[in-house]
Amino acid sequence: MPRILIVGGGYAGFYTALKLEKWLRKGEAEVVLVDPLPYMTYQPFLPEVAAGSIEPRHAVVSHRRHLRSTRVITAKVSGVNHASKTATIEPEVGETFELDYDHVVMTAGSVSRTFPIPGVADEAIGMKSIEEAVAVRDRLIDNFHRAALLPAGPERDRLLTVVVVGGGFAGIETFAELRSLASALLRDHPQLTIDDTHFHLIEAMGRIMPEVSLKTSHWVLKNLAQRAAIVHLETQLTSAVDGHLELSTGESLESDLIIWTAGVMANPVLRGTDLPVDERGRLRAQPDLRVIDDNGVVDAAWTAGDVAAVPDLSGGGVGGFCVPNAQHAVRQGKQLAKNLVAVLRGEDPKDYEHKNLGAVAGLGIGYGAFQSGKFAVTGFPAWIMHRGYHGLAIPMWERKLRVVGDWVGNFVLGRDNVSLSAREEPAAYFQEFAARPKG
């Protein structure tokens, strides 16, 4: 029985496995999925998790619960030798081992792309994982608690200053959602006012959210300005050492919460493979999602999602390739599963083609922006559209119901603004009071 190895359990990998389970006949192939995490993260919900609008566990989808016939291995793939069709698997505990396969599906996704700016690696936090979103939420809430006990001055300003680097969708949504959370926190801290909080977004380009029209992006800028959130366009971060930010404009800021959302890059796991990559480190692919090199199709090698340079046949991609977003990753995963099954049965695979349906952003409770072609919606209707779309788009009905339950609960009971940052050192409370041997 042929073995299909899926490297990466994000959008593309999860949906590939899910659809292979549906379309493969019993005994037709064994499917193995390897990922360091035991779940798929629904990344469009990370800003809402950071804002406390969604319970963190509800924004992830368990591999083992929903992939019933797939063999799930929670471990890191440190290398793939396609010439011998073996992968090197490194579990968190136990010995490293080799896994043979007949077909490999590379869907390892992307990681945050950073630049060698002093201090960024030590001071900033990304917004690519559920753990990062939770840490951001807890940091902001804890900083309000601390600031409420301080007199006005530099130390309090530092705690109440939030800086987001990157004005794409991820950056703007994170920035706006955190502004919404901060406004809610002010009601719990009467010692503070909105003038005590400082929100800054740094964007190197001359505009934000290139996925929407200039008119829509201007509406977002105006909305943020009305909510005391400042966007610095055509500005670069030059240093962030010890939380002291230097900008290319000559301005400087002090912040205890710096969030980096300025782009992504293909997962570096590809460096440990003999598969062909392009100049940006992505796997070279043709429209049917098979990996290619200078000689044509690489036999039994497939790819999809952020890690792949898949030609965009709709003509709407950047540089002729599909942009790295959830819309493409989900649909590519489904098409890849169909194509793989077709090849196993001696049939021809079909090309992947998808025309962008538009873009929708949540900008905090009651605010949103939607763009599809020249049609745009902003404000409250767009916020409803954002929640409606993503509420349906997150995979599996039990996840959809949990997320909608969060929204309904928050509407009735209010946002849950509790920080659980003490979870990072769970033994500290016990150890503080634990009896120890004398002497």
Side-chain angles (χ1 to χ4, degrees), residues 285-368:
Q286 61 183 25
D288 63 8
L289 305 173
R290 288 186 288 184
V291 176
I292 57 172
D293 58 18
D294 293 338
N295 300 315
V297 173
V298 177
D299 182 56
W302 304 78
T303 188
D306 292 2
V307 80
V310 178
D312 191 339
L313 300 183
S314 74
V318 177
F321 297 100
C322 296
V323 296
N325 64 20
Q327 267 192 56
H328 284 302
V330 168
R331 290 168 176 81
Q332 286 173 7
K334 294 177 181 179
Q335 186 63 52
L336 194 159
K338 286 183 180 179
N339 286 351
L340 216 168
V341 171
V343 167
L344 288 175
R345 296 173 183 172
E347 301 169 4
D348 293 329
K350 295 182 179 180
D351 289 345
Y352 168 79
E353 182 174 0
H354 170 68
K355 184 173 177 60
N356 191 351
L357 298 175
V360 61
L363 305 173
I365 294 177
Y367 303 102

Side-chain angles (χ1 to χ4, degrees), residues 6 27 43 45 48 63 71 94 127 138 142 176 179 221 234 272 312 318 390 393:
I6 302 174
Q43 292 182 0
F45 279 155
E48 288 206 54
H63 291 152
R71 178 186 172 194
M127 190 55 70
D138 288 349
D142 285 348
R179 174 68 269 182
L221 287 174
E234 297 183 328
D312 191 339
V318 177
H390 286 297

Side-chain angles (χ1 to χ4, degrees), residues 57 155 214 238 281 353 420 436:
R57 289 178 301 171
E155 188 175 357
L214 200 58
T238 59
E353 182 174 0
L420 296 176
R436 289 176 170 83

Side-chain angles (χ1 to χ4, degrees), residues 166-180:
F169 253 64
I172 291 295
E173 287 193 294
T174 299
F175 188 57
E177 288 285 358
L178 291 178
R179 174 68 269 182
S180 178

Side-chain angles (χ1 to χ4, degrees), residues 127-438:
M127 190 55 70
K128 285 284 291 178
S129 71
I130 199 72
E131 293 81 6
E132 289 172 323
V134 173
V136 166
R137 181 200 66 187
D138 288 349
R139 174 77 66 84
L140 184 57
I141 295 172
D142 285 348
N143 282 357
F144 264 75
H145 297 336
R146 298 183 183 111
L149 300 175
L150 294 173
E155 188 175 357
R156 190 171 79 174
D157 287 344
R158 177 187 174 93
L159 290 172
L160 297 178
T161 297
V162 176
V163 177
V164 175
V165 183
F169 253 64
I172 291 295
E173 287 193 294
T174 299
F175 188 57
E177 288 285 358
L178 291 178
R179 174 68 269 182
S180 178
L181 171 59
S183 297
L185 289 172
L186 289 173
R187 293 192 289 269
D188 300 331
H189 299 83
Q191 309 92 329
L192 303 173
T193 70
I194 193 169
D195 293 332
D196 295 319
T197 63
H198 314 282
F199 277 71
H200 298 269
L201 183 137
I202 302 167
E203 169 52 46
M205 305 298 288
R207 61 162 298 178
I208 60 169
M209 302 171 73
E211 301 90 342
V212 304
S213 70
L214 200 58
K215 181 180 179 181
T216 302
S217 72
H218 285 164
W219 180 91
V220 174
L221 287 174
K222 182 179 179 181
N223 176 266
L224 290 171
Q226 291 170 342
R227 296 157 62 190
I230 301 171
V231 176
H232 303 260
L233 297 177
E234 297 183 328
T235 303
Q236 295 178 331
L237 177 66
T238 59
S239 177
V241 176
D242 296 328
H244 178 76
L245 286 77
E246 296 287 347
L247 309 184
S248 59
T249 57
E251 298 173 86
S252 62
L253 302 166
E254 294 280 346
S255 175
D256 191 58
L257 181 53
I258 306 166
I259 304 160
W260 183 275
T261 64
V264 298
M265 65 179 185
N267 195 315
V269 70
L270 294 182
R271 299 170 188 166
T273 77
D274 56 354
L275 294 168
V277 297
D278 67 4
E279 66 280 358
R280 294 179 58 185
R282 302 170 300 178
L283 279 172
R284 295 171 59 188
Q286 61 183 25
D288 63 8
L289 305 173
R290 288 186 288 184
V291 176
I292 57 172
D293 58 18
D294 293 338
N295 300 315
V297 173
V298 177
D299 182 56
W302 304 78
T303 188
D306 292 2
V307 80
V310 178
D312 191 339
L313 300 183
S314 74
V318 177
F321 297 100
C322 296
V323 296
N325 64 20
Q327 267 192 56
H328 284 302
V330 168
R331 290 168 176 81
Q332 286 173 7
K334 294 177 181 179
Q335 186 63 52
L336 194 159
K338 286 183 180 179
N339 286 351
L340 216 168
V341 171
V343 167
L344 288 175
R345 296 173 183 172
E347 301 169 4
D348 293 329
K350 295 182 179 180
D351 289 345
Y352 168 79
E353 182 174 0
H354 170 68
K355 184 173 177 60
N356 191 351
L357 298 175
V360 61
L363 305 173
I365 294 177
Y367 303 102
F370 169 79
Q371 185 85 43
S372 181
K374 295 182 179 180
F375 177 70
V377 180
T378 55
F380 185 77
W383 178 70
I384 295 295
M385 295 168 71
H386 172 267
R387 287 203 160 179
Y389 172 77
H390 286 297
L392 291 173
I394 188 172
M396 319 315 296
W397 277 103
E398 61 98 7
R399 292 288 107 174
K400 301 179 199 295
L401 292 174
R402 291 179 193 273
V403 167
V404 172
D406 289 339
W407 288 336
V408 172
N410 286 345
F411 178 77
V412 175
L413 304 173
R415 193 191 326 234
D416 191 346
N417 295 332
V418 175
S419 165
L420 296 176
S421 56
R423 77 194 184 289
E424 296 177 9
E425 297 182 27
Y429 187 78
F430 174 80
Q431 292 172 354
E432 181 180 356
F433 302 104
R436 289 176 170 83
K438 295 180 180 180

